[in-house]
Amino acid sequence: MSQPIYLSGKEISLDDNSFIVTKTDLQGNITYANRVFMQITGYREAELLGKPQNIIRHPAMPKGIFRYLWQEISAGRECFSYVNNRSKNGDNYWVFANITPVFDGTIKMTGYFYCRRKPKASAVAKVNQLYQHMLEIEQQHQGDRGDKSLQWLLAQVQQEHGSYEKFILGL
Ligand SMILES: Cc1cc2nc3c(=O)[nH]c(=O)nc-3n(C[C@H](O)[C@H](O)[C@H](O)COP(=O)(O)O)c2cc1C
């Protein structure tokens, strides 16, 4: 049985001028983390290197968002998203994130570069509403890996904004 994930209920906020940066290999294992990442998550470098990026996964994040993210970056496209993450002590923090595939100078993809900053509160409120609904869909379809909730999200935003990217960048 998996252990319950401890959440403190305390939200921490990034400074206006801080950037959180990590790099990963193609599997999403951390190969570099900057100081801001270590400060905000409470992990030391030795605890992070080689670990999967889902070390900071928050249970309130829908699977469908990660489905989208992996779909885009593994196809070599950069992508943007709002992500709620969990620090080591159970606090949470929201970020506005950009993930960019890294190429080796030829067409070979070697990993991902992940940079995030403080999000606008109004944007978090908007995506949080959508994420709540995605979580409900995921509860109704246990075993689904996020395809159904992602389909729902994409249909919502395409109708109103044309694409997921236009929606996210317009928030
Ligand atoms: C560059 C990169 C950055 C990622 N950033 C996050 C992140 O900030 N938070 C997170 O929970 N998952 C992140 N992921 C996705 C995780 O690899 C994983 O798919 C996700 O946490 C879902 O975990 P699960 O498969 O255990 O449910 C990232 C993946 C990559 C490649």
Side-chain angles (χ1 to χ4, degrees), residues 24 28 53-54 56-57 66 69-70 73 83 85 99 112 114:
T24 74
Q53 216 22 110
N54 71 2
I56 51 169
R57 193 188 193 310
F66 299 117
L69 181 157
W70 274 109
I73 60 176
V83 186
N85 278 319
I99 306 182
Y112 303 110
Y114 184 28

Side-chain angles (χ1 to χ4, degrees), residues 42-120:
Y43 288 105
R44 287 176 292 114
E45 190 175 48
E47 295 175 286
L48 291 169
L49 295 181
K51 295 285 163 36
Q53 216 22 110
N54 71 2
I55 191 170
I56 51 169
R57 193 188 193 310
H58 193 288
M61 274 302 290
K63 289 192 181 87
I65 294 298
F66 299 117
R67 199 90 180 114
Y68 175 81
L69 181 157
W70 274 109
Q71 193 178 293
E72 293 302 298
I73 60 176
S74 60
R77 296 187 285 266
E78 79 171 325
C79 81
F80 294 88
S81 196
Y82 285 85
V83 186
N84 186 12
N85 278 319
R86 182 186 167 278
S87 294
K88 190 177 180 182
N89 67 0
D91 295 350
N92 78 294
Y93 62 97
W94 278 90
V95 293
F96 177 48
N98 169 269
I99 306 182
T100 302
V102 177
F103 293 86
D104 72 349
T106 67
I107 52 163
K108 192 165 164 252
M109 202 152 69
T110 54
Y112 303 110
F113 183 85
Y114 184 28
C115 184
R116 46 279 207 215
R117 64 169 166 76
K118 184 176 175 172
K120 278 193 245 167

